[in-house]
């Protein structure tokens, strides 16, 4: 029996380094099989439900296509076309869906909701993003990193994550770095540093995870630069101005890339990204854009987003292969 059979996929810290390496290898095999037109379709007798409390392009589409390509049948539920969350509790929803389906994908606000789903559904539950974690994304990123390694192994890289370090992407990278043992530099102004005991203890006890407000220190020698949108889904749009005030110096731009002193530096972003002015000019007051001259992108400039060092769309593609590895491994006894 494969080691993932019947398990949930809620957060990376539920898995070992060996587990994560195994999932990456399964994804690589599935990707290779698909590219050679020899993917084995194994989920023809499985029914899967996708619950989206928050919006999505990549995760939803990759999940649906992963299911179609594996011949599983799917139902899509959102907060607009179901009773979940207001007329019906998560616990009841879990028990109902658990009788009808073989697996549940959940994207929502609270990690505790997905924990309840997992507790009562009796079938595998997969996390498609919560406020706290985004494990499918970070596995896709690790796969992308693995494909781009030059003379280094995954546990030797330096990944510099810059910007909003209080979100699901940063939290999940923290988990990944702890499990795998790569160097993670978290870069943001002191004002935005998490101030909790757990985080502070973690930094004290791990010399491969660095928290700094100094961009030169944070990106020096980096192999990968990663950023995410400065305001995550579900956060009040009223926060845009203060976030820009805090983070405008922490943009991924040409100057920052030069500071890495690495001509092979790879640029990463989970997407969606506000790198084009016309996408964010209506989101907040124009004066702040002029004040900081942010006409060429917010968290990343369009120039760097589109540069040849960017592996952003490879990250996005890899989501499909990672999702297949997760659903096949948790739904079927035998290894893919
Ligand atoms: N990166 C990511 O999860 O994208 P979506 O919000 O489009 O799913
Ligand atoms: N931190 C972002 C990630 C989007 C994939 C958000 O939660 O909106």
């Amino acid at each position: 029996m494969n080691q993932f059979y019947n398990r949930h996929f809620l957060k990376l810290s539920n898995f070992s380094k060996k587990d994560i390496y195994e999932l990456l290898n399964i994804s690589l095999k599935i990707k290779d099989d698909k590219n050679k037109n020899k993917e084995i379709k194994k989920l023809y007798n499985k029914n899967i439900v996708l619950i989206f409390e928050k919006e999505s392009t990549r995760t939803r589409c990759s999940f649906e296509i992963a299911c179609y390509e594996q011949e599983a049948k799917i139902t899509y539920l959102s907060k607009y076309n179901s009773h979940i969350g207001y007329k019906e509790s998560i616990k009841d929803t879990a028990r109902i869906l658990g009788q009808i389906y073989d697996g549940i994908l959940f994207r929502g606000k609270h990690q505790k909701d997905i924990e309840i789903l997992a507790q009562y559904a009796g079938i595998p539950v997969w996390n498609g993003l919560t406020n706290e974690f985004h494990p499918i994304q970070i596995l896709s990123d690790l796969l992308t990193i693995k494909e781009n390694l030059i003379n280094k192994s995954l546990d030797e890289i330096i990944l510099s994550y810059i910007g909003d370090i209080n979100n699901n992407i940063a939290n999940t990278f923290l988990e990944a770095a702890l499990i795998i043992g790569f160097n993670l530099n978290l870069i943001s102004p002191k004002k935005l540093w998490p101030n909790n005991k757990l985080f502070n203890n973690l930094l004290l006890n791990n010399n491969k995870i660095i928290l700094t407000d100094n961009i030169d220190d944070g990106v020096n020698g980096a192999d990968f630069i990663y950023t995410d949108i400065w305001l995550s889904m579900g956060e009040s749009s009223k926060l845009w101005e203060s976030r820009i005030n805090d983070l405008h110096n922490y943009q991924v731009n040409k100057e920052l890339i030069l500071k890495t002193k690495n001509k092979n530096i790879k640029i990463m972003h989970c997407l969606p990204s506000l790198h084009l002015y016309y996408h964010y000019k209506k989101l907040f007051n124009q004066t702040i854009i002029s004040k900081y001259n942010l006409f060429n992108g917010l968290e990343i400039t369009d120039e760097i987003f589109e540069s040849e060092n960017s592996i952003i769309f490879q990250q996005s593609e890899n989501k499909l292969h990672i999702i297949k590895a997760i659903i096949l491994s948790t739904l079927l006894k035998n290894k893919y």
Side-chain angles (χ1 to χ4, degrees), residues 265-320:
I265 187 75
K266 299 287 183 261
I267 314 300
M268 303 182 74
H269 194 307
C270 55
L271 300 179
S273 154
L274 292 178
H275 60 102
L276 288 172
Y277 176 55
Y278 70 85
H279 278 152
Y280 55 85
K281 72 176 178 185
K282 290 200 184 114
L283 288 181
F284 35 78
N285 196 319
Q286 294 280 298
T287 40
I288 196 155
I289 303 178
S290 308
K291 184 175 170 190
Y292 297 122
N293 191 20
L294 289 170
F295 294 98
N296 299 320
L298 280 190
E299 75 279 359
I300 184 167
T301 58
D302 187 52
E303 181 189 16
I304 297 302
F305 183 93
E306 298 290 355
S307 69
E308 59 183 27
N309 298 61
S310 164
I311 52 172
I312 292 170
F313 290 97
Q314 192 179 343
Q315 292 171 255
S316 177
E317 187 214 314
N318 278 337
K319 205 166 238 184
L320 174 69

Side-chain angles (χ1 to χ4, degrees), residues 45-58:
N45 59 352
K46 301 292 179 197
N47 298 314
I48 289 172
V49 58
L50 320 179
I51 306 174
F52 279 84
E53 273 183 3
K54 292 183 179 188
E55 59 266 43
S56 166
T57 299
R58 271 148 297 274

Side-chain angles (χ1 to χ4, degrees), residues 50-56 60 76-87 107 109 233-234:
L50 320 179
I51 306 174
F52 279 84
E53 273 183 3
K54 292 183 179 188
E55 59 266 43
S56 166
R60 177 181 172 182
Y76 173 80
L77 295 179
S78 77
K79 62 180 176 188
Y80 304 107
N81 68 3
S82 75
H83 302 297
I84 299 167
Y86 69 104
K87 233 157 75 186
R107 166 172 286 199
K109 294 190 200 97
M233 285 182 273

